Amino acid sequence: MSKNSTNQDGIRPKDWKEFLVNASERLVGKTEINRQIKSGDFLTACELIKKELGRDDFNTLIKVEFLNPRFTPADIHQHIYNLDSRIFITPNFDKIYDTYANTTSQGSIIIKKFTDEDIVDCIRRPEPLIIKIHGTVDNTDNLIFTRKDYSAARTKYRNFYSIIEALSLTHTFIFIGCGTNDPDIRLLLEDFTFKFPLSKKHHIIMPKNALNIKVKEIVKETMSLNILEYDSSNDHQLLTNSLAALVTLVENKRQDIANTQSW
């Protein structure tokens, strides 16, 4: 989703791979970092970069890449906001969607990080809620971005993961702009699948050919996911258009429910 945004110079945010490749360019350990990137082990690559740069330089790099450019929201952020889902969970630690949603709602949306202790209270209240499961660029010392970060968070913030697990049992998730390799998401859905094999599936939207057909079947079976595919040509324009159409369908359905009082 963030890749749809630009700043006043027309620059788009880097995705995870682009960030890692760019960050490793001048590092002594570039060869090994690139080897990890090519193998798809982004977590280890990020860990190596963070160790070589050190805390201060790594935190500065994060802000330079994801905060200082002042990225502006795109149409896709507007459509997702207009779906009016009360709970929005994002692994993105940039502030593009948060800023748009909070500005558009005149500050009435609650934004919580995985480190906050009152998330359950916010979930049970009626106000819209954004949960940033990997932290925020405002606090770079509490991001989940490297292999060590993921491992430490699962122990230190065990209660938070219990909350997300509970939501997966009581709500249907739809993953937008998110792959299946995030360790937290994979662990959550695999655990859900084998504990409750007869449960309704969650949904994930991804480009056609993003996964090998055999891998796709494994993902469906082991993560209880219904895969919705789209043509990603023209900078994923079809995804943006489809979400715009979905907003209309949702609004019509809500009006129908209100008219028939069938809630």
Side-chain angles (χ1 to χ4, degrees):
M1 280 171 43
S2 295
K3 287 287 285 184
N4 287 270
S5 302
T6 58
N7 67 1
Q8 62 181 8
D9 298 319
I11 297 172
R12 295 183 185 274
K14 293 181 177 64
D15 62 25
W16 197 0
K17 183 177 181 179
E18 290 168 341
F19 168 79
L20 296 174
V21 170
N22 182 72
S24 67
E25 279 301 312
R26 299 178 184 84
L27 299 183
V28 175
K30 175 182 176 180
T31 301
E32 181 56 35
I33 293 169
N34 284 337
R35 184 179 294 117
Q36 296 299 326
I37 294 172
K38 287 179 181 177
S39 72
D41 192 347
F42 292 173
L43 288 175
T44 299
C46 196
E47 188 73 49
L48 291 170
I49 291 170
K50 187 175 183 178
K51 284 184 177 297
E52 187 163 338
L53 285 175
R55 171 190 173 274
D56 289 348
D57 287 347
F58 185 77
N59 287 353
T60 298
L61 177 64
I62 295 293
K63 291 188 185 299
V64 166
E65 292 289 354
F66 299 106
L67 180 66
N68 297 350
R70 300 183 182 184
F71 298 113
T72 57
D75 289 345
I76 195 168
H77 297 102
Q78 176 185 344
H79 301 326
I80 289 175
Y81 175 85
N82 287 337
L83 286 174
D84 199 25
S85 177
R86 198 181 71 79
I87 301 175
F88 179 88
I89 301 174
T90 176
N92 291 356
F93 49 74
D94 64 55
K95 298 171 63 178
I96 299 169
Y97 180 75
D98 323 6
T99 301
Y100 173 80
N102 222 14
T103 301
T104 305
S105 68
Q106 297 180 310
S108 62
I109 289 182
I110 298 172
I111 301 174
K112 289 295 174 181
K113 307 176 294 296
F114 69 95
T115 54
D116 292 326
E117 297 179 351
D118 59 341
I119 293 178
V120 168
D121 181 68
C122 295
I123 287 173
R124 297 183 66 185
R125 292 182 180 277
E127 293 83 11
L129 173 65
I130 296 174
I131 303 176
K132 297 179 74 71
I133 62 172
H134 289 165
T136 175
V137 70
D138 287 340
N139 186 351
T140 47
D141 282 318
N142 277 321
L143 295 181
I144 299 179
F145 199 25
T146 69
R147 182 169 296 283
K148 183 179 179 181
D149 294 336
Y150 275 90
S151 300
R154 287 197 198 101
T155 299
K156 188 175 181 180
Y157 299 101
R158 186 176 302 167
N159 289 342
F160 170 75
Y161 288 99
S162 296
I163 294 169
I164 302 301
E165 181 180 3
L167 287 174
S168 75
L169 300 179
T170 58
H171 294 66
T172 298
F173 288 8
I174 177 166
F175 296 93
I176 305 172
C178 177
T180 57
N181 288 327
D182 182 282
D184 287 341
I185 293 172
R186 180 178 288 276
L187 185 64
L188 170 75
L189 293 179
E190 288 177 345
D191 195 44
F192 170 86
T193 299
F194 290 100
K195 281 183 178 177
F196 310 102
L198 300 182
S199 295
K200 184 178 180 180
K201 291 182 180 295
H202 298 288
H203 305 284
I204 186 167
I205 302 173
M206 62 173 55
K208 291 179 180 177
N209 304 319
L211 296 176
N212 173 276
I213 188 168
K214 292 183 179 180
V215 174
K216 195 184 304 179
E217 290 305 313
I218 292 173
V219 166
K220 289 179 180 179
E221 292 173 6
T222 61
M223 299 176 70
S224 283
L225 282 174
N226 175 36
I227 299 176
L228 307 173
E229 297 180 297
Y230 68 94
D231 183 346
S232 61
S233 60
N234 194 24
D235 292 327
H236 300 258
Q237 185 61 46
L238 183 58
L239 176 60
T240 298
N241 295 345
S242 297
L243 288 171
L246 181 60
V247 169
T248 300
L249 293 173
V250 168
E251 289 175 346
N252 290 342
K253 184 64 176 179
R254 285 195 174 119
Q255 188 61 52
D256 180 58
I257 291 172
N259 291 337
T260 60
Q261 297 186 8
S262 59
W263 51 75

